Amino acid sequence: MRKKLSIRAGLAATGFLLLAGGHPQPALAEPLPGGTLSPSDIPKYAAPLIIPPVMPSSTSDRSVDYQIAVREFRQQILPAGLPATTVWSYGSVDHPGTVADGGSFNYPAFTIEAKWSVPTRVRWINGLVDESGNYLDHLLAVDRTLHWANPELLPCMDGTTHTDCRPDEANGPFLQVPYDGPVPIVTHVHGAETFQDSDGYPEAWYLPNATNIPAGYATTGTLYSEFKFSSPLGGKWEPGTAVFRYPNHQRAATLWYHDHTLGITRLNVYAGPAGFYLLRGGTDGDRFTDNTATRRAKDGMLPGPAPGPGEDVNGLTAGSVREKIREIPIAIQDRSFNSDGSLFYPGTRTFFDDFEGPFTPDQVDALGTSDVSPIWNPEFFGNTMVVNGRSWPVLEVAQALYRFRLLNGSNSRFLILTTDDDADNADGVSPQVTFWQIGADGGFLPAPVMLDNLILAPAERADVLVDFSGLPDGTEIYLLNLGPDEPFGGGAPGTDFPLADAGTTGQVMKFVVNAALTGKSPTDPNGATPATAPGNLALPQRVELGQESRTQFLSLNEEMSAFAEAIPEFDLPIAALLGTVNPATGIPTALAWMDAITEEPEVGATEIWEMWNFTVDAHPIHIHQVQFEVVGREVIGGGTSVAGSNEPLPWETGTKDTVIAYPGEITRVKARFRLPGLFVWHCHILEHEDNEMMRPYCVANPDGSRPEACDVADGNLLPAMD
Ligand SMILES: [Cu+2]
């Protein structure tokens, strides 16, 4: 959705003067507005990249593999000399404290290492309480005019009172004030093929087991008890927790875990909780060959090792093994900060477009009331790049091949990554090292793909090899971002859209070649088992899905204020919606989260889901439970996709769980739905996901019956009581 600066004539004029600040605007791009700390005042490349260590297993309860809580703590995200930042993230409760204290709580979280076909059981704990056991407020402003968890049980728009609804404006003017009660969470392992009870359904949230939960609050969401009673591990679900299970039967892949609570995912994720979940092994996970062998295939070798259990990989102790690490997960996120170090995220709609409301949709009229939510912003772009929890870090690398598992963990920002010898790219784009992409969301590609530019939408992952061998000691290589500081619509950087600000969000991190590290890993060129050159690497092949039994015709829509036609200054986006489309007429039906389920595959069915994007922006669409094949794209009305081809792009030829749906195009994916139950599909721009761009879907039971949870979601059955 595009920011519209001319709102009401009077207001817009004032806003413009404030923005201009009385001095001339430079012609070059500028840092985005954010908090009170200017990103230009944050020194770059001042601190080393943190390598996420391995999440320690549960020691106090051996009936689960991990006991992982979300807690609040302070962490030095900005360089030394600037204040620390209060964040939330995950850690093992048996290993309390932050990394600085020898504990396991870190933003981003430690990596969960999973083995193919060995199930993982995690007790996920809502630990958002203080030392007295009282609940903590949210770090950010919660908009309770959205369709959201509603634990305070405000009366809903539909005239009844329940969790997971859009509260009625008749609740009074305080509806426009941020919610300050206990914070619900529920964790989703993104890309995991797991059961409905363990998927982190947005209405299966739970509050912390705090001592001061206000009377009358619901402590769990609509589906929590349903899943607790249907899960074989339900007996282990204690107040403030849920125990989820992951079968790990899918292909080896780079997955990640993060919060998924209805209507506040953007805020919960922005506050910090997210980590990698790496699934290794199986026939699709470790059969690499080196195709230069002439007589028979010989074993191929990927760069390694990755951090191992219990290892210090950040140079904190004398036993640190950092210098040998060659496989590193890298989570890239945009954030903004205040001068006291706190995270900045807009607490009012005026940040987006100067629109001041008020929000009273039932009384809307020309006098200035509106149906525009008072706090929610349609998108948010931070002005500071944070990589593995540090702003603009630097990584020393050996003259060797590295494996990076890249994740775009941003709320709204699309990244287009490249490398250069020059931080602000003043000499134009001239990549210093190329990316060899070997895997995407769902596992390995059929073959390595060499790329100068690598596009990553929010939530997408790329498993890449980068070769620093042969580069002189001291060589500096900058990882740059050529994506826009605004919603992405496809096309070429600098031609079809302005580049990110070269001085801030156009830079991500820096690599510095340190010859002294060369040879510290066995996969280095002079090591015991050197890694296979990317061009010679043969990757494990997968079995393709067969013929589909059905095509689902789906739509992506933008909702403008209901008063846009009558009152032009109300031409403002108020939500994004999924829905269906009639393929014969091309006419969409936009549907909200609460509307009845429209996608109901049979269990085991293979279906094509085609998504018609009627908005002006690209949306990363994520389908839970499955890893799908990208079938291709088609411009509505004909022509070539803005992606450059109507065929799947080379890096989309493996399996994926998130696909970019470009504006004005139909994007087709094919998936097999192996697990019965209630799941979701949604846009992974978190601001969209939180405001209606998410829909439930239902996979039938093996006997053809409808899972009970789907009836609960549709309102045909009352939720189970805890
Ligand atoms: Cu979207």
Side-chain angles (χ1 to χ4, degrees), residues 17-376:
L17 286 174
L18 286 173
L19 279 174
H23 53 78
Q25 300 279 317
L28 293 170
E30 282 188 66
L32 289 167
T36 52
L37 178 63
S38 167
S40 308
D41 293 337
I42 303 172
K44 295 188 185 68
Y45 316 119
L49 178 83
I50 294 289
I51 300 175
V54 174
M55 180 68 79
S57 302
S58 168
T59 53
S60 61
D61 180 355
R62 297 289 188 179
S63 75
V64 295
D65 301 294
Y66 299 95
Q67 298 192 84
I68 299 174
V70 175
R71 289 181 181 163
E72 180 174 305
F73 52 92
R74 287 173 71 73
Q75 181 172 316
Q76 196 70 40
I77 296 172
L78 301 167
L82 288 167
T85 301
T86 299
V87 291
W88 294 350
S89 191
Y90 299 101
S92 163
V93 297
D94 294 324
H95 307 79
T98 63
V99 175
D101 307 326
S104 64
F105 283 78
N106 193 61
Y107 153 68
F110 285 18
T111 301
I112 296 178
E113 285 279 353
K115 283 197 183 71
W116 185 78
S117 94
V118 178
T120 306
R121 298 156 301 175
V122 185
R123 173 173 290 125
W124 297 105
I125 300 162
N126 185 339
L128 294 174
V129 293
D130 65 17
E131 48 298 345
S132 314
N134 295 323
Y135 71 80
L136 294 166
D137 291 353
H138 211 295
L139 295 178
L140 309 169
V142 174
D143 190 331
R144 49 186 155 189
T145 71
L146 304 185
H147 191 141
W148 83 293
N150 189 33
E152 58 191 330
L153 289 174
L154 295 177
C156 307
M157 295 264 275
D158 64 6
T160 63
T161 297
H162 51 94
T163 53
D164 305 293
C165 77
R166 190 181 282 274
D168 193 298
E169 65 174 290
N171 287 294
F174 82 97
L175 197 63
Q176 308 192 35
V177 174
Y179 167 82
D180 62 359
V183 177
I185 69 155
V186 62
T187 302
H188 169 59
V189 178
H190 182 119
E193 298 180 4
T194 190
F195 311 97
Q196 59 170 355
D197 56 74
S198 298
D199 192 48
Y201 192 78
E203 296 185 357
W205 52 263
Y206 42 98
L207 298 184
N209 188 25
T211 52
N212 63 338
I213 300 294
Y217 274 47
T219 55
T220 59
T222 308
L223 266 300
Y224 178 91
S225 296
E226 178 72 28
F227 292 148
K228 174 179 172 175
F229 292 136
S230 66
S231 167
L233 301 179
K236 297 180 188 295
W237 295 29
E238 291 147 14
T241 78
V243 182
F244 291 170
R245 55 206 171 110
Y246 308 95
N248 299 325
H249 276 310
Q250 63 198 95
R251 306 183 80 212
T254 306
L255 312 177
W256 66 296
Y257 59 104
H258 63 77
D259 187 76
H260 214 299
T261 306
L262 189 69
I264 56 167
T265 294
R266 71 195 182 289
L267 306 173
N268 286 1
V269 172
Y270 192 87
F276 285 92
Y277 183 110
L278 302 180
L279 176 55
R280 301 177 191 271
T283 53
D284 292 330
D286 42 29
R287 272 194 198 163
F288 326 106
T289 50
D290 183 333
N291 62 18
T292 53
T294 48
R295 274 182 289 184
R296 59 191 161 116
K298 66 171 181 165
D299 288 347
M301 183 63 66
L302 291 179
E311 285 183 346
D312 168 16
V313 288
N314 288 297
L316 300 166
T317 62
S320 174
V321 297
R322 183 181 177 91
E323 59 184 21
K324 75 171 186 188
I325 300 299
R326 298 291 177 267
E327 182 197 321
I328 303 175
I330 295 181
I332 304 169
Q333 300 176 301
D334 57 345
R335 294 288 184 266
S336 289
F337 296 89
N338 294 309
S339 46
D340 64 358
S342 60
L343 285 169
F344 169 84
Y345 185 89
T348 165
R349 169 78 183 213
T350 58
F351 180 82
F352 181 76
D353 56 12
D354 293 334
F355 188 74
E356 292 180 331
F359 173 79
T360 49
D362 286 353
Q363 303 159 33
V364 77
D365 58 31
L367 298 177
T369 54
S370 81
D371 53 0
V372 180
S373 286
I375 299 174
W376 176 78

Side-chain angles (χ1 to χ4, degrees), residues 1 378-379 414 556-557 576-578 615 617-621 682-689 693:
M1 299 174 206
E379 286 95 17
F414 285 63
L556 281 53
N557 312 279
L577 296 164
L578 299 173
T615 79
D617 300 317
H619 301 262
I621 302 297
H682 63 88
C683 176
H684 221 286
I685 292 175
L686 299 183
E687 285 73 18
H688 295 183
E689 168 181 351
M693 206 168 193

